[in-house]
Amino acid sequence: MKKILIICICFAAFGVVTLAAVYDESNFSALGRLFEPPPEGYIIGKDNAPGRGTHHPSENCGWCHGVGGRAEHYLFTMAGTLYSDRAGRAAVKGGEIIMEDREGNIISMTTNESGNFWTYAPVASDPYTVSTYHGHEPFVPLYVLDADGNLVQPAEPDDPRTLKYKTWTRKGNSARHMVSIAGVGGGTATTTRMSCNMHHGGISAARGALWVGNGPTLDAYPYSNLSYRKHIYPILRSNCAPCHIPGSTITSMNTKTDHDILSTAVDYSNGLDLMTYEGSAVVVPIYDAVIPNRVIGSKTVSKVGVESVVDTVSPGQSLLLQKVVPGALHGGGAFWEESSLDYRAIRKWIAEGALKN
Ligand code: HEC
Ligand code: HEC
């Protein structure tokens, strides 16, 4: 059932060309517009703010650029650093960060030579914001409803926790979709400013970073005898992990819409787990339909693995490769050109028999 639902959402997403999207509550639920391609038709970098801003790349800008911080004169609505890979090895210069708020306003920033970006552009407030501690209880509505469920008092628009957006990162043909929505102010404090670097950590957790994935995962690959463990797994791990993992993911609950649906357990993978060769079967919790985060049982989620999307007879025809080149219809977006090192490494490994070596 869930699988069918996700497929339908993707078809709907690709069929619609949105310029200035009209707000629809379902857009800002855990599943809403999850895999929508990045918006088009605006000026790239239009929301870049002045300054050099080359310092502290990968750190949480909100530490100092927050109320009471050392740099509180510069109170950004959003800031962060963009890297070319998830491990945060190389900063991306001239990459784009796109945000779309709940009123359909597009905010576009480009990165400087340290990969940093920042903006003061306003982000629309969600009158139905629920305050949570990192998506968990206690759930405190910041709005007031009357007995009939009508909105009597919206959440305070100046409270940064109510500023809601979705985001994408893009460089050339490479675009990343964000997998859930977020508020600008994290935590429980009304003054907190978080930066993207706070939540989008590199693999080692030593750095925080958003990543756009236009660079190769490894610096070099051998001409032959490619190894699944040494070469192929790291590519899939650093690019496909946000979605093609075993089991399902729980997203934060931060608007009323999230509380109206049965569960925020989302499976982004379409039944494909690229973190394992044979596939996986993991036991995941089933959540109560009314009480958020109350576990009432468990079930097994089974997925196919890497071996089921390779074609050793015609390597280039492998779904693993065809799905993720520019122009292909893929919920996760485009990852590499046929000339890219990672693409060529995977293709070679498939041609050599796609062994679990
Ligand atoms: C450890 C503290 C700290 C962190 C972390 C920090 N900054 Fe700053 N930033 C400062 C201070 C201090 C100033 C100068 C404030 C003043 O003049 O009042 C400043 C000023 C700035 C300015 C304006 C001056 C200029 O350089 O053009 C920008 C832009 C800026 N920071 C961007 C960022 C970004 C983007 C991040 C996150 C990647 C970040 N900062 C992280 C402390 C910090
Ligand atoms: C942001 C989430 C996301 C990321 C990241 C992502 N994908 Fe996907 N992928 C999806 C979704 C959603 C589908 C199902 C819809 C579709 O076919 O486009 C899918 C489907 C696929 C399929 C087809 C599965 C089938 O049985 O039809 C393949 C193959 C695939 N992805 C490969 C990859 C590879 C390789 C990567 C990393 C380089 C990757 N994906 C990264 C979301 C993602």
Side-chain angles (χ1 to χ4, degrees), residues 35 240 243-244 268 270 272 274 319 323-324 330-332 335-336:
F35 301 116
C240 324
C243 302
H244 295 288
Y268 306 107
N270 199 32
L272 174 63
L274 292 176
L319 205 50
K323 258 318 233 199
V324 288
H330 174 226
F335 282 76
W336 43 67

Side-chain angles (χ1 to χ4, degrees), residues 30 121 152 170 199 211 256 286 303 329 342:
V152 181
R170 178 155 59 190
H199 281 120
W211 51 289
K256 180 173 175 292
I286 300 174
K303 296 184 178 179
L329 276 187
D342 286 355

